[in-house]
Amino acid sequence: SRPNFLRIMARPLKFVREDLARVSYSPVRPLDVISAEIGIPPHQIAKLDANENLHPVPAEMMEALTSALTSFSSGCSAQIYPDPSQTNLRADIAAMHGISPDRVVAGSGSDDILDIIMRLVDTDSCIICPPTFGMYKFLGTIMRINIIEVPRKENFEVDVPAVVKAIRETKCKLVMLPSPNNPTGTILPNEDIRVICQEDCLVVIDEAYSDFAGVSAEELLDEFPNLILCRTFSKWAGLAGIRVGYAIGHPDFIERMLAIKQPYNVNVAAEAMARAALKYREKILVTVRSLLNEREKTIEFLKGYKFLNPYPTHSNFVLCDVNGVNAAGMNKYLRKKGVLTRYFGTQGGQLQNNIRISAGRPEDTERLFEALRSFEKDQFDAEACEALKQHKDVECLLWDMDGVLVDVSGSYREAILKTAAHFGANITHQEIGAAKARGGANNDWKLTYDLIHAHKKTDGTSPSLEEVTKEFELLYQGTPTSPGLKKLETLLPSMKVLEQLSKKYKMGIVTGRPKSDCDFALQAMGIAHIFQHCACMEDGIKPDPAPVKKVLADLGCSTALMFGDTVDDCRAAVAAGIKAIGTVAPGHSRETDRPILMEAGASLILSEGVAELEALL
């Protein structure tokens, strides 16, 4: 029947491959969107998150673009389809490399080239070496190609013997390796490429950043017909928004790539700009040298900067270890200041303690330095760090979760606001903060209920605590069709520092969360292994010292520091006979929180993200 048909059609994902229904990709957000979000004009933002050449292209290139789009003289225009054989573009690329055009194929960026290769090669697996460019794994998933990961060495060099071993053991027919590697900037020497090319597989070397390194595997092409090099105009030529890339390889393989590519994968505008870039290459290389100069200035600054340790690089970016603070938190802070850097987390490899900074224009570099100085001033209190050293002689460290370990400004706090709004009470962040400062507000369900009732008073429409709790939980936990606010939570301190502390001290959590929410956060943040015992809502609510005493007993400790961002945390710690260490919650100021927490018994106050924890190591 028609109604039954409509019910079936209302589930369109039933037609989607099950594996693709779960695919996700975290792209760089558009500049205009970010500008609107942070309230800073685009021209005042230092966009150092995507390894682009931000310098203007030569005027001659813009003239070539206009001519191509408006004139029929080239055989193409905005009204006419581009040349599917890419005759002129391939000839120009070939001339630059000193090879014949039958060894070149172009695409809509090097991503398109990588996609064509993955579709063409008859293989059920592909070897990559993380941390590396995330697109290889993404494309492999789409093509149902099993991605075999051979981890890089500690210095991010490719473990060549391990790659060769993996090729032989798995009979893998496709290896994808960038040189320089993104995001580490590491070169793969030609002697190593030669070793891998001697195996029975296709070897794809992604040279997107080779113009910054001054090295290439071109000299190996005649020796190894199983070698393919990928290049792009996005990086050196400043054409990331135009999308042109190409591959160089054996004519037989290139012919097959041409045969299966989308017919018009390089549009008229892209071809015109790419050909002009080749013609005016020397002018563009002036900007490439400028980027390399800015990269070196950045590295020198970072060598003396407290929280970042730069790795050696051969590209237009530098990967940094983030020391003492949370990498995602630093990335978020810089973003608010109008400086965009790249935090990867687990995308492309285990990079939770790293950020990548692209080289920019001189004005971008200065904005970066200014923002980093501001971060150190706002996020680190040298006096508090020295004072914390006097409290090292304890057996264990206890932690409140919300606002100390986990940023809940977009989850629990937002759930309070939205639940109250659902029942007609438009409360503010300031009111939540004031309630927390008064104390007795560690149960967010009850806090929301009280705030609603304070607004609505006796108008007869106030909800029950049960109704408030139900709405709050729907928002926080989510539904099958709507992700919960808990997905927005992020770790505040450095995981690396927490792990180091756990080797020196016993570690426990005292939180007002229900146990299920506590367990979820520990798993989601990847810190469950750090803490031996937890006391949750079911064990008592601070400022009652009972949950603090429970964790102390479970850990077998009598001396401890307890880190908390509310008066209830501090009062509970003092009542349990241990030292309270106050912390500034996200979005709060040290000046506002210090007197409130000190009055509640805190011995000292640490910054948001507790960068001062290094004092305990």
Side-chain angles (χ1 to χ4, degrees):
S1 66
R2 182 70 179 173
N4 186 52
F5 171 79
L6 292 176
R7 277 197 300 274
I8 294 173
M9 291 299 104
R11 303 194 306 274
L13 288 183
K14 70 189 292 288
F15 304 110
V16 175
R17 269 172 43 191
E18 185 178 349
D19 58 331
L20 293 186
R22 298 187 299 271
V23 167
S24 63
Y25 178 64
S26 300
V28 172
R29 293 169 67 78
L31 190 59
D32 58 338
V33 173
I34 294 173
S35 172
E37 290 174 350
I38 64 178
I40 298 176
H43 69 277
Q44 294 180 11
I45 294 175
K47 193 176 186 305
L48 306 177
D49 61 345
N51 305 337
E52 298 133 326
N53 182 344
L54 299 176
H55 289 278
V57 300
E60 293 91 338
M61 290 175 62
M62 299 306 298
E63 293 170 4
L65 171 64
T66 301
S67 175
L69 292 176
T70 58
S71 170
F72 286 4
S73 61
S74 65
C76 298
S77 71
Q79 298 87 352
I80 299 176
Y81 285 111
D83 174 12
S85 298
Q86 310 163 344
T87 307
N88 294 325
L89 176 58
R90 290 169 60 211
D92 288 353
I93 293 171
M96 184 184 75
H97 288 282
I99 58 178
S100 58
D102 63 353
R103 304 192 70 170
V104 179
V105 59
S108 179
S110 58
D111 291 347
D112 184 30
I113 293 296
L114 295 170
D115 180 61
I116 294 170
I117 292 171
M118 283 238 183
R119 287 190 283 116
L120 182 58
V121 178
D122 184 14
T123 183
D124 58 4
S125 63
C126 173
I127 290 174
I128 65 172
C129 295
T132 193
F133 187 35
M135 189 58 68
Y136 308 139
K137 193 168 186 177
F138 178 77
L139 292 172
T141 299
I142 292 174
M143 293 302 301
R144 286 179 168 161
I145 291 175
N146 178 42
I147 297 297
I148 300 170
E149 298 186 347
V150 179
R152 290 172 178 264
K153 301 176 185 178
E154 285 191 12
N155 62 0
F156 295 130
E157 291 180 356
V158 172
D159 188 340
V160 177
V163 170
V164 171
K165 181 181 178 183
I167 294 169
R168 294 176 181 178
E169 289 182 348
T170 64
K171 309 298 183 186
C172 182
K173 298 301 180 186
L174 179 61
V175 177
M176 286 191 165
L177 298 169
S179 182
N181 182 47
N182 175 22
T184 66
T186 318
I187 288 290
L188 181 61
N190 281 359
E191 53 265 34
D192 289 345
I193 297 174
R194 178 176 277 108
V195 170
I196 298 171
C197 283
Q198 291 175 31
E199 301 301 312
D200 184 24
C201 64
L202 186 75
V203 180
V204 178
I205 303 298
D206 186 349
E207 295 190 338
Y209 299 94
S210 64
D211 289 280
F212 299 99
V215 297
S216 172
E218 288 183 59
E219 65 182 44
L220 303 179
L221 285 168
D222 289 336
E223 185 178 352
F224 296 104
N226 60 326
L227 175 63
I228 300 292
L229 304 184
C230 298
R231 292 288 192 95
T232 181
F233 287 82
S234 295
K235 308 303 179 182
W236 71 273
L239 298 182
I242 296 295
R243 312 305 300 131
V244 188
Y246 60 94
I248 305 173
H250 191 278
D252 290 348
F253 193 87
I254 295 300
E255 181 186 27
R256 291 299 87 208
M257 290 183 68
L258 283 163
I260 72 162
K261 73 176 183 64
Q262 293 290 329
Y264 307 115
N265 63 335
V266 179
N267 65 60
V268 171
E271 178 171 331
M273 290 289 269
R275 294 184 66 198
L278 295 172
K279 183 175 181 180
Y280 300 102
R281 178 175 168 83
E282 290 306 313
K283 282 192 173 185
I284 299 173
L285 289 180
V286 173
T287 68
V288 169
R289 290 189 286 273
S290 173
L291 292 175
L292 292 177
N293 287 335
E294 294 306 306
R295 182 195 70 188
E296 291 308 302
K297 280 173 55 179
T298 300
I299 290 173
E300 284 305 307
F301 177 89
L302 295 178
K303 285 179 179 178
Y305 186 68
K306 181 177 184 61
F307 299 119
L308 294 174
N309 180 36
Y311 282 96
T313 180
H314 296 274
S315 194
N316 64 333
F317 56 80
V318 55
L319 184 73
C320 301
D321 276 339
V322 180
N323 304 314
V325 294
N326 181 272
M330 172 178 272
N331 188 68
K332 185 177 179 181
Y333 179 96
L334 294 175
R335 183 180 186 271
K336 289 180 180 178
K337 294 291 184 179
V339 176
L340 309 182
T341 58
R342 189 71 189 270
Y343 172 72
F344 292 90
T346 58
Q347 181 184 332
Q350 298 300 314
L351 297 169
Q352 295 93 327
N353 295 315
N354 304 88
I355 63 171
R356 188 195 67 196
I357 303 173
S358 305
R361 300 159 298 184
E363 60 266 33
D364 300 316
T365 306
E366 289 308 312
R367 287 185 178 121
L368 169 68
F369 294 172
E370 182 181 348
L372 287 173
R373 294 187 189 103
S374 177
F375 178 86
E376 184 168 356
K377 180 181 177 183
D378 292 346
Q379 304 294 117
F380 182 77
D381 186 331
E383 290 185 7
C385 186
E386 284 301 311
L388 187 59
K389 290 179 181 179
Q390 310 307 312
H391 301 283
K392 295 169 66 172
D393 191 21
V394 294
E395 300 167 280
C396 70
L397 305 179
L398 304 186
W399 306 78
D400 175 47
M401 180 169 278
D402 300 342
V404 180
L405 291 174
V406 179
D407 184 354
V408 296
S409 56
S411 59
Y412 272 121
R413 293 295 176 97
E414 194 66 21
I416 294 172
L417 295 172
K418 289 187 175 182
T419 299
H422 176 78
F423 291 106
N426 295 314
I427 64 175
T428 65
H429 284 287
Q430 289 73 22
E431 289 175 278
I432 299 173
K436 294 279 187 182
R438 289 191 295 270
N442 246 285
N443 183 326
D444 283 339
W445 300 335
K446 182 66 165 56
L447 172 59
T448 308
Y449 171 82
D450 290 341
L451 289 171
I452 292 172
H453 275 253
H455 263 257
K456 299 181 77 66
K457 302 189 186 303
T458 57
D459 68 356
T461 63
S462 294
S464 66
L465 177 58
E466 182 180 2
E467 291 172 320
V468 169
T469 302
K470 181 179 179 181
E471 179 63 24
F472 186 105
E473 285 295 283
L474 278 175
L475 290 165
Y476 180 75
Q477 305 293 349
T479 68
T481 58
S482 176
L485 294 171
K486 65 182 181 182
K487 297 285 190 181
L488 301 177
E489 295 176 348
T490 55
L491 185 67
L492 283 168
S494 162
M495 182 186 295
K496 186 176 181 180
V497 170
L498 290 177
E499 289 176 334
Q500 290 172 330
L501 289 172
S502 70
K503 295 174 182 177
K504 184 176 180 181
Y505 300 95
K506 294 180 180 180
M507 303 272 275
I509 288 175
V510 183
T511 177
R513 287 183 176 222
K515 186 177 185 307
S516 59
D517 288 357
C518 177
D519 290 344
F520 172 84
L522 290 174
Q523 294 297 329
M525 303 299 135
I527 56 175
H529 64 290
I530 294 174
F531 301 95
Q532 290 86 47
H533 290 281
C534 301
C536 303
M537 176 190 288
E538 295 85 349
D539 301 302
I541 299 294
K542 297 168 288 188
D544 182 351
V548 180
K549 292 179 177 179
K550 178 184 184 302
V551 176
L552 287 172
D554 291 340
L555 291 172
C557 299
S558 58
T559 59
L561 303 179
M562 178 165 170
F563 302 91
D565 68 318
T566 68
V567 296
D568 288 338
D569 297 326
C570 297
R571 290 169 182 165
V574 172
I578 61 174
K579 292 188 180 297
I581 307 296
T583 67
V584 177
H588 290 214
S589 71
R590 190 180 295 133
E591 292 71 21
T592 300
D593 284 4
R594 182 192 297 275
I596 296 171
L597 297 176
M598 294 293 281
E599 185 179 349
S603 298
L604 56 100
I605 308 300
L606 305 184
S607 305
E608 174 188 334
V610 287
E612 300 86 358
L613 287 174
E614 67 179 41
L616 297 177
L617 296 173

